[in-house]
Amino acid sequence: MPSLRQCTAPWTWLQIMTDGSVRPCCFSKRNIGSLQNNSIEDIWNGEAIRELRRYIGQDRIHPLCHNAPCKFIQGMDYNNVSPPRLGDRIFFGQYAVGSTYLTKGWHLQEYWGCWSKDKEAKISLPNTDNFLNGATADIALRGLKSEFSVSVSVTTSASETVTSEFSHFGNFLVSIPIGKEIANLPSLDITIAASHVLSPAQRGINNDERPIGVGITSIHIHKPLQ
């Protein structure tokens, strides 16, 4: 796996967005300044990017890089990853940070995400600093067969269940309002249940004999749309 120390982005370039905001690279989704308020020299020599350089020199993941889809972050050991925050999109592909939240019933991750192997598969997201309070979780799922039922249950003190039908190799999004009841719980526990668990070979798709229920690509935690 690549070492984070191999990343040279904070020493070689910056990304300037159309609104003047500045990011340390094209993979980061967080700003380190704005040309509306600071000069490019001030941002280049500012504390935010200097701290990022220190983290990289220590082979540590800085919050600016959290969940970045680059080879350095996606290939890291995630024991030292910062907990998820509001606005994060958590990916479940190979080497992605989502692996730390898959608790039961999943196959090994693939480049795009991960298949469930049991009728029920579980995910647990830590509710660090109560960041989930009143948020919405958009769960990106994938199916192998038409006329195939999937239910997504989010366990807070008041559960929400959404059932959706999807087509062969279809991708779809399930949006779950989390609610303020999560405030007293340490984690958001998600159960994804498939009505059938069959191998692609049984479905006549290919020779893969693994039992497969439903796939997950990502979870986006955000404020509800107004």
Side-chain angles (χ1 to χ4, degrees):
M1 293 184 184
S3 167
L4 193 56
R5 291 192 180 97
Q6 295 174 275
C7 175
T8 61
W11 289 272
T12 55
W13 69 297
L14 296 171
Q15 183 180 40
I16 301 174
M17 311 302 289
T18 55
D19 63 356
S21 58
V22 179
R23 297 177 180 179
C25 76
C26 61
F27 293 110
S28 177
K29 302 302 181 184
R30 297 182 172 89
N31 300 331
I32 57 173
S34 172
L35 295 181
Q36 297 183 22
N37 304 316
N38 303 99
S39 68
I40 193 71
E41 291 82 7
D42 288 341
I43 296 172
W44 182 252
N45 296 303
E47 176 56 28
I49 198 166
R50 287 192 288 118
E51 182 181 80
L52 173 59
R53 292 166 183 157
R54 288 196 296 271
Y55 268 63
I56 290 176
Q58 297 166 3
D59 211 27
R60 297 168 58 202
I61 298 176
H62 191 277
L64 284 168
C65 303
H66 181 53
N67 265 354
C70 72
K71 64 179 181 180
F72 303 111
I73 299 302
Q74 298 301 313
M76 288 288 290
D77 175 3
Y78 288 99
N79 291 327
N80 62 345
V81 173
S82 302
R85 303 189 303 182
L86 192 67
D88 279 352
R89 191 180 303 274
I90 302 165
F91 293 96
F92 294 90
Q94 192 174 25
Y95 303 135
V97 295
S99 63
T100 60
Y101 309 127
L102 299 174
T103 56
K104 181 182 178 183
W106 299 97
H107 284 292
L108 293 176
Q109 293 157 284
E110 302 178 30
Y111 72 94
W112 58 268
C114 190
W115 291 113
S116 67
K117 61 182 179 181
D118 299 324
K119 279 197 172 182
E120 287 192 350
K122 297 181 181 294
I123 298 168
S124 184
L125 299 179
N127 188 25
T128 307
D129 297 328
N130 198 30
F131 88 101
L132 291 165
N133 186 9
T136 293
D138 290 340
I139 306 172
L141 299 174
R142 167 182 284 196
L144 276 178
K145 190 74 173 177
S146 60
E147 300 179 0
F148 195 79
S149 177
V150 172
S151 69
V152 179
S153 302
V154 174
T155 302
T156 64
S157 57
S159 294
E160 294 282 350
T161 302
V162 175
T163 301
S164 180
E165 300 293 331
F166 56 96
S167 301
H168 181 72
F169 282 113
N171 298 320
F172 67 100
L173 196 68
V174 176
S175 186
I176 303 289
I178 297 171
K180 295 184 178 180
E181 296 88 349
I182 192 70
N184 298 319
L185 296 179
S187 63
L188 179 73
D189 296 323
I190 302 171
T191 300
I192 300 175
S195 60
H196 300 86
V197 178
L198 299 171
S199 70
Q202 289 173 307
R203 293 183 172 113
I205 297 172
N206 55 37
N207 295 325
D208 188 348
E209 297 287 349
R210 294 177 303 161
I212 284 176
V214 65
I216 185 166
T217 303
S218 66
I219 297 178
H220 182 205
I221 305 293
H222 61 89
K223 291 182 179 179
L225 299 177
Q226 300 298 323

